[in-house]
């Protein structure tokens, strides 16, 4: 028992590896939120009138809303008037290449293991649209992509250069009134990514964005919009790390994806925002709305996520399966320790005929953390022949953590076939002893068992991301990393 | 000259939590290259001894010394004992869902290589090593792809223990009733595994109830273990006597 306790202690006392703060002067709007702040954001970004009006409409609606309380999460109320809603790194001219990017900024990315320069040299494997705080600072490979008609840029640029596309699709999957956090985001979002894949185009590289939260008390409100036209394909990667902070940081992002006839979008996330310290102080509050609409026939969306960060996670990447034969998939690994809380899952809304969905959720809880899988499978009357398979597995490490599974199933069509499986297991002393008896150190044994537990999901990640994600899981478990 | 590999002196030990004493004044010396058999009735504390030597946290020594390959064994962590060359073939190997047998074995082999300051084997090198050993022990490729001990039959589990023993080449292998419940073919595989490991350097401690295995492996010494200590030591004739007249004859003697 003593060795198990030692391990738990290590798990509990390990430090966040990426806790450092970049010293860059931020161009910050005054604290608080009102219509003037929204006008300021909009004017700073030279936005068209329709967008300002949309933001204001969202803001006025938000004022009538309350925070959702149904999630199994406990936290002190957030004072939304105490936050900054706009911060941009000070730069006189927008850089044309990485050489012109602030050296401190590049250094930050290097510490995170995202050497942009190296990536640029990596023969077009990954294109990076790096978002620092709220403003996009560097976009690589755009020219190459442009040749194929692919648009990959910050959403601010898209608003200026492709207003018709943005106006057509912005808020079409997640309406501004959708939920409290999405509504707030619609009012104050500052930047994010925009991806447009034209008809018949197979995007030749993985598109990737790294988000970081930096300036103190800066709310992060990214907005990502991906549109995949008929017969197109794209794989998009989102990776996040944030520097260590004592105060809680709010993050309320939106990702909207539109998938048309015979198109496919793969969206992968590795998230390791600061989870708070071993006593539950600090950490990122992550309230995200991610949703994809399969509007065309045979459209396919696949969400894959590996999450080890944030003090609080409230996140349910969803699939609206409108087109006949469309497919939605959700593969998730969530690892919580210390006092982290995660209420996460997915929603599969079957509308079209013969729509199929698959949910594989793996939750790992350690320390004093608490995790809830909350999922909805909703089969409409019209969804004849719909199929769903759900599998929710939980793995507990130690005796002070919690794991809960809350699957909602709503079926209005007799022909639908729905399956749900759930397991809960604990890494036993017997298993650890067996591994140790074969010469494997206890912490490596935990890593081995945990990696085996989430293998099914890891395999869904693009290769280079899978390696990063496995590293992240091991870092989160090891405790030897200070 | 005889080289002491394992030396147990006046060992008293029991359940860590309750303090219940199970091993009561045990003395045993195993030299390099020797095969010893330990026979005793159910509940005599044979498995406790095996687990205690391997370092399972459920058991603790209250007094006495155990020296293994020149080190104070009881001060080492279980993985350090394993890498120092102590292997325990378990009576009930535990299943580890999600971890493929292949991958587990690779981790174990590389953990030992790392301990010995040898370069770790890559996937191809390891596979070569694994295939050769697996074939000899009748472990199929299909079995290696399965999750470790998940859904394995009793015989398959024991075979897997023998495969691990073969791969790790321990200085001392303790077989805790590895022969229990095996058919004659499986028993032969265990015996072959034992005989292959057994060199002038490597030793074995075989915990068993049955003469069958001992007939196949020819032990250097047989110990009759009763109520936490050895009541009589001798050659294979002890095992034969035991087969005929049971433990009672030793206890009363």
């Amino acid at each position: 028992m003593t060795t198990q306790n030692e391990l738990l202690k290590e798990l509990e006392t390990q430090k966040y590896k990426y806790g450092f703060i970049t010293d860059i002067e931020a161009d910050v709007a005054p604290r608080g939120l009102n219509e003037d702040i929204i006008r300021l954001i909009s004017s700073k970004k030279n936005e068209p009138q329709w967008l300002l009006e949309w933001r204001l409409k969202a803001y006025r609606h938000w004022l009538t809303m309350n925070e959702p309380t149904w999630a199994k999460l406990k936290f002190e109320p957030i004072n939304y008037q105490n936050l900054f809603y706009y911060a941009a790194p000070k730069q006189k001219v927008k850089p044309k290449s990485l050489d012109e990017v602030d050296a401190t900024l590049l250094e930050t990315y290097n510490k995170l293991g995202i050497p942009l320069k190296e990536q640029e040299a990596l023969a077009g494997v990954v294109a990076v649209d790096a978002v620092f705080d709220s403003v996009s600072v560097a976009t690589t490979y755009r020219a190459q992509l442009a040749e194929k008609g692919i648009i990959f840029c910050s959403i601010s640029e898209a608003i200026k250069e492709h207003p018709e596309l943005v106006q057509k699709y912005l808020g079409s999957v997640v309406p501004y009134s959708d939920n409290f956090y999405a509504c707030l985001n619609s009012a104050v979002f500052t930047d994010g990514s925009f991806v447009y894949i034209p008809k018949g185009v197979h995007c030749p590289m993985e598109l990737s964005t790294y988000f970081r939260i930096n300036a103190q008390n800066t709310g992060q409100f990214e907005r990502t919009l991906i549109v995949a036209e008929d017969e197109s394909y794209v794989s998009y990667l989102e990776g996040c790390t944030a520097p260590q902070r004592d105060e809680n940081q709010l993050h309320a992002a939106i990702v909207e994806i539109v998938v048309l006839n015979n198109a496919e979008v793969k969206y992968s996330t590795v998230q390791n925002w600061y989870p708070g310290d071993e006593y539950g102080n600090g950490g990122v509050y992550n309230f995200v709305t991610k949703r994809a609409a399969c509007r065309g026939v045979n459209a396919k969306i696949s969400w894959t996520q590996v999450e080890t960060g944030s003090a609080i996670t409230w996140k349910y990447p969803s699939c609206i399966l409108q087109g006949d034969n469309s497919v939605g998939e959700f593969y998730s690994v969530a690892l919580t320790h210390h006092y982290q809380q995660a209420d996460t899952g997915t929603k599969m809304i079957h509308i079209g005929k013969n729509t199929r969905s698959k949910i594989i959720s793996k939750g790992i809880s350690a320390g004093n953390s608490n995790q809830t899988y909350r999922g909805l499978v909703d089969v409409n009357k019209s969804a004849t022949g719909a199929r769903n398979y759900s599998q929710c597995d939980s793995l507990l490490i130690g005796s002070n953590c919690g794991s809960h599974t809350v699957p909602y199933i709503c079926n209005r069509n007799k022909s639908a076939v729905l399956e749900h499986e759930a397991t809960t297991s604990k890494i036993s002393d017997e298993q650890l002893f067996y591994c140790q008896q074969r010469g494997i150190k206890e912490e490596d044994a935990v890593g081995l068992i945990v990696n085996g537990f989430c293998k099914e999901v890891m395999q869904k990640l693009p290769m280079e991301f899978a390696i990063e994600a496995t590293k992240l899981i091991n870092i989160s478990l090891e405790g030897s990393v200070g | 000259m005889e080289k002491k590999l394992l030396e147990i002196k006046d060992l008293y030990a029991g359940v860590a939590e309750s303090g219940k004493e199970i091993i009561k004044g045990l003395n045993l010396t195993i030299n390099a290259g020797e095969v010893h058999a330990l026979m005793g009735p159910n509940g005599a504390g044979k498995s406790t001894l095996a687990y205690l030597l391997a370092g399972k946290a459920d058991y603790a020594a209250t007094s006495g010394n155990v020296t293994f390959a020149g080190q104070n064994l009881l001060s080492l962590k279980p993985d350090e004992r394993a890498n120092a060359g102590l292997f325990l073939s378990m009576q009930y190997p535990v299943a580890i869902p999600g971890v493929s047998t292949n991958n587990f074995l690779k981790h174990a082999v590389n953990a030992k290589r790392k301990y010995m300051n040898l370069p770790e084997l890559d996937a191809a090198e390891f596979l070569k090593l694994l295939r050769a050993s697996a074939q000899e022990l009748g472990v199929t490729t299909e079995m290696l792809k399965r999750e470790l001990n998940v859904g394995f039959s009793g015989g398959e589990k024991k075979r897997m223990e023998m495969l691990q023993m073969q791969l790790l080449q321990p200085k001392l292998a303790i077989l805790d009733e590895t022969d229990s419940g095996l058919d004659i073919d499986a028993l032969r595989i265990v015996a072959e595994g034992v005989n292959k490991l057994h060199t002038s350097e490597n030793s074995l401690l075989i915990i068993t109830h049955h003469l069958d295995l001992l007939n196949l492996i020819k032990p250097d010494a047989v110990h009759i273990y009763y109520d936490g200590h050895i009541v009589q030591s001798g050659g294979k004739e002890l095992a034969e006597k035991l087969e005929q007249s049971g433990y009672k004859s030793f206890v009363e003697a």
Side-chain angles (χ1 to χ4, degrees):
Chain A
M1 288 310 287
T2 51
T3 42
Q4 168 100 10
N5 288 338
E6 277 166 30
L7 180 79
L8 285 173
K9 209 166 176 191
E10 273 185 15
L11 275 174
E12 278 155 18
T13 53
Q14 70 145 314
K15 297 291 185 293
Y16 182 65
K17 194 190 176 195
Y18 297 135
F20 49 84
I21 293 159
T22 310
D23 189 17
I24 292 180
E25 265 184 85
D27 181 4
V28 183
R31 226 180 257 272
L33 186 56
N34 53 49
E35 294 201 3
D36 286 343
I37 293 283
I38 291 166
R39 286 197 173 88
L40 176 77
I41 293 169
S42 194
S43 82
K44 281 241 184 206
K45 301 173 76 60
N46 295 315
E47 284 177 357
Q49 188 63 26
W50 67 263
L51 190 53
L52 173 62
E53 278 162 20
W54 191 72
R55 285 178 182 277
L56 290 171
K57 209 156 60 174
Y59 173 67
R60 287 166 199 152
H61 187 77
W62 180 71
L63 291 174
T64 70
M65 298 178 95
N66 293 312
E67 285 172 305
T69 52
W70 42 260
K72 193 174 164 55
L73 300 170
K74 273 187 201 159
F75 55 95
E76 292 293 308
I78 298 165
N79 181 356
Y80 292 92
Q81 292 304 336
N82 197 35
L83 299 171
F84 291 100
Y85 288 87
Y86 183 78
K90 266 189 183 170
Q91 282 173 338
K92 280 170 196 149
V93 194
K94 212 168 162 24
K96 288 186 186 67
S97 74
L98 290 179
D99 298 334
E100 295 176 24
V101 171
D102 190 324
T104 329
L105 217 66
L106 289 180
E107 181 54 35
T108 306
Y109 287 124
N110 284 328
K111 275 191 213 163
L112 286 169
I114 319 155
L116 280 181
K117 275 180 184 286
E118 280 173 36
Q119 292 209 14
E120 198 176 36
L122 273 175
V125 186
V126 180
V128 173
D129 177 12
V131 173
F132 190 86
D133 274 337
S134 314
V135 171
S136 168
V137 286
T139 306
T140 47
Y141 298 110
R142 263 169 69 182
Q144 270 169 273
L145 294 169
E147 274 173 33
K148 293 198 168 250
I150 294 169
I151 304 166
F152 177 34
C153 61
S154 73
I155 195 133
S156 316
E157 284 171 291
I159 289 162
K160 286 191 197 91
E161 287 162 31
H162 310 280
E164 70 298 338
L165 284 174
V166 177
Q167 198 167 5
K168 183 173 175 188
Y169 292 109
L170 188 77
S172 76
V173 184
V174 181
Y176 69 81
S177 57
D178 191 81
N179 67 66
F180 183 84
Y181 305 109
C183 195
L184 178 63
N185 175 293
S186 301
V188 302
F189 75 90
T190 41
D191 220 331
S193 295
F194 177 75
V195 176
Y196 176 81
I197 315 291
K199 188 173 172 177
V201 171
H202 188 285
C203 183
M205 59 183 89
E206 316 268 359
L207 300 181
S208 155
T209 305
Y210 286 89
F211 294 100
R212 275 172 64 67
I213 304 173
N214 196 281
Q216 206 151 6
N217 279 335
T218 303
Q220 278 275 296
F221 303 97
E222 291 98 352
R223 182 119 198 164
T224 295
L225 176 59
I226 299 174
V227 179
E229 290 277 10
D230 294 355
E231 278 91 40
S232 68
Y233 168 86
V234 66
S235 168
Y236 187 90
L237 317 179
E238 175 202 330
C240 320
T241 56
Q244 184 157 356
R245 292 287 188 192
D246 288 327
E247 286 176 61
N248 293 313
Q249 293 172 299
L250 175 67
H251 186 94
I254 291 181
V255 176
E256 286 183 281
I257 303 178
V258 177
V259 196
L260 300 171
N261 292 318
N262 304 303
E264 179 178 354
V265 175
K266 283 184 75 165
Y267 192 103
S268 312
T269 308
V270 170
Q271 189 264 113
N272 59 339
W273 283 324
Y274 181 50
D277 67 13
E278 56 264 55
Y279 308 107
N281 300 315
V284 170
Y285 284 12
N286 192 19
F287 302 101
V288 192
T289 305
K290 289 184 168 179
R291 194 174 301 157
C294 287
R295 296 214 173 126
V297 296
N298 303 316
K300 185 175 175 186
I301 170 69
S302 182
W303 298 102
T304 306
Q305 56 178 39
V306 174
E307 315 230 333
T308 63
S310 298
I312 294 197
T313 303
W314 181 96
K315 179 181 171 185
Y316 317 90
S318 310
C319 306
I320 302 172
L321 306 170
Q322 283 169 276
D324 290 350
N325 307 317
S326 58
V327 177
E329 292 176 339
F330 175 75
Y331 301 98
S332 169
V333 170
L335 188 153
T336 52
H337 60 137
H338 301 329
Y339 285 87
Q340 279 178 277
Q341 304 175 63
D343 192 299
T344 181
T346 183
K347 287 191 258 181
M348 295 291 176
I349 316 290
H350 292 258
I351 298 167
K353 289 189 180 64
N354 301 315
T355 46
R356 284 167 290 150
S357 63
K358 187 175 176 183
I359 299 168
I360 307 286
S361 165
K362 306 272 181 179
I364 303 142
S365 319
N368 292 285
S369 70
N370 239 301
Q371 229 185 89
T372 304
Y373 168 83
R374 190 183 301 277
L376 168 68
V377 176
D378 186 301
V379 179
N380 281 255
K381 257 186 191 163
S382 53
T384 302
R387 287 216 51 157
N388 164 265
Y389 173 74
S390 300
Q391 187 188 327
C392 305
D393 297 327
S394 310
L395 185 68
L396 305 173
I397 303 175
S399 316
N400 299 324
C401 54
S403 166
H404 319 271
T405 302
V406 189
Y408 300 83
I409 298 170
C410 176
N411 184 11
R412 299 185 207 86
N413 189 308
K414 274 187 197 162
S415 69
V417 180
L418 311 174
E419 290 174 77
H420 179 92
E421 287 179 25
T423 66
T424 302
S425 52
K426 194 178 162 189
I427 296 185
S428 71
D429 293 344
E430 305 292 323
Q431 288 172 327
L432 290 177
F433 173 67
Y434 188 88
C435 293
Q436 284 180 284
Q437 212 306 298
R438 299 310 185 239
I440 301 167
K441 284 200 180 88
E442 192 165 34
E443 60 181 27
D444 293 342
V446 171
L448 186 67
I449 295 170
V450 168
N451 282 319
F453 174 76
C454 32
K455 178 175 64 187
E456 204 178 341
V457 171
M458 295 302 203
Q459 284 167 348
K460 296 289 169 188
L461 288 172
M463 180 71 118
E464 65 272 28
F465 230 34
I467 294 165
E468 190 179 323
T470 305
K471 258 193 230 162
L472 186 60
I473 297 274
N474 288 339
I475 287 172
S476 307
L477 286 165
E478 262 176 17
S480 54
V481 184
Chain B
M1 199 189 111
E2 284 176 340
K3 208 167 85 186
K4 279 181 190 167
L5 179 63
L6 177 77
E7 189 176 31
I8 303 174
K9 270 190 186 163
D10 297 324
L11 182 67
Y12 287 81
V15 180
E17 210 166 294
S18 66
K20 187 190 170 201
E21 196 165 69
I22 295 172
I23 297 170
K24 303 164 185 170
L26 177 69
N27 288 286
L28 176 65
T29 299
I30 299 177
N31 295 316
E34 287 180 354
V35 176
H36 288 231
L38 190 75
M39 306 182 81
N42 291 331
K46 303 189 297 296
S47 288
T48 300
L49 175 63
Y51 280 139
L52 181 86
L53 293 177
K56 196 165 197 276
D58 300 355
Y59 304 99
T62 45
S63 70
N65 294 310
V66 182
T67 311
F68 175 69
Q71 296 185 75
N72 174 6
L73 186 73
L74 300 179
S75 71
L76 302 177
K77 286 182 184 170
D79 52 293
E80 292 168 337
R81 300 182 194 197
N83 286 321
L86 188 140
F87 180 90
L88 171 60
S89 165
M90 298 193 202
Q91 195 177 354
Y92 304 108
V94 67
I96 306 187
V99 179
S100 80
T101 302
N102 253 326
N103 191 28
F104 178 82
L105 297 178
K106 186 167 170 244
H107 269 80
V109 166
N110 278 334
K112 171 138 199 195
R113 291 182 68 88
K114 206 171 158 186
Y115 178 85
M116 294 169 75
N117 286 321
L118 290 169
E120 293 183 29
L121 297 180
D122 66 26
E125 290 166 330
F126 173 71
L127 216 59
K128 216 172 134 187
L129 175 78
L130 177 62
R131 281 204 181 126
S133 301
Q135 213 165 15
E136 284 171 24
L137 292 166
V139 174
T140 61
T141 316
E142 182 270 332
M143 209 168 130
L144 294 171
K145 282 182 187 157
R146 282 158 61 187
E147 294 167 301
L148 185 68
N149 292 327
V150 176
F152 283 25
S153 70
E156 284 174 328
K157 282 184 189 171
K158 299 294 169 67
R159 231 176 280 184
M160 186 52 64
E161 295 293 287
M162 289 300 98
L163 175 61
Q164 295 186 39
M165 185 175 83
Q166 178 76 16
L167 288 170
L168 295 169
Q169 288 291 309
K171 289 195 183 102
L172 174 68
I174 302 168
L175 274 58
D176 187 9
E177 298 197 27
T178 301
D179 56 336
S180 296
L182 293 186
D183 59 35
I184 189 70
D185 290 338
L187 195 66
R188 280 215 181 92
I189 282 173
V190 171
E192 271 168 41
V194 167
N195 290 331
K196 271 186 83 92
L197 179 73
H198 181 207
T199 62
S200 58
E201 290 295 317
N202 295 339
S203 310
L204 291 110
L205 175 62
I206 317 262
I207 297 172
T208 182
H209 281 298
H210 310 289
L211 196 57
D212 298 351
L213 182 64
L214 300 184
N215 282 332
L216 294 168
I217 60 175
K218 302 182 185 69
D220 297 300
V222 173
H223 309 281
I224 306 298
Y225 186 74
Y226 188 85
D227 194 24
H229 64 287
I230 289 167
V231 291
Q232 198 172 342
S233 296
K236 216 183 104 190
E237 71 284 352
L238 277 187
E240 280 154 10
K241 184 182 164 197
L242 181 66
E243 187 96 329
Q244 281 167 5
S245 39
Y247 290 107
K248 236 183 161 184
S249 57
F250 291 98
V251 180
E252 284 164 1

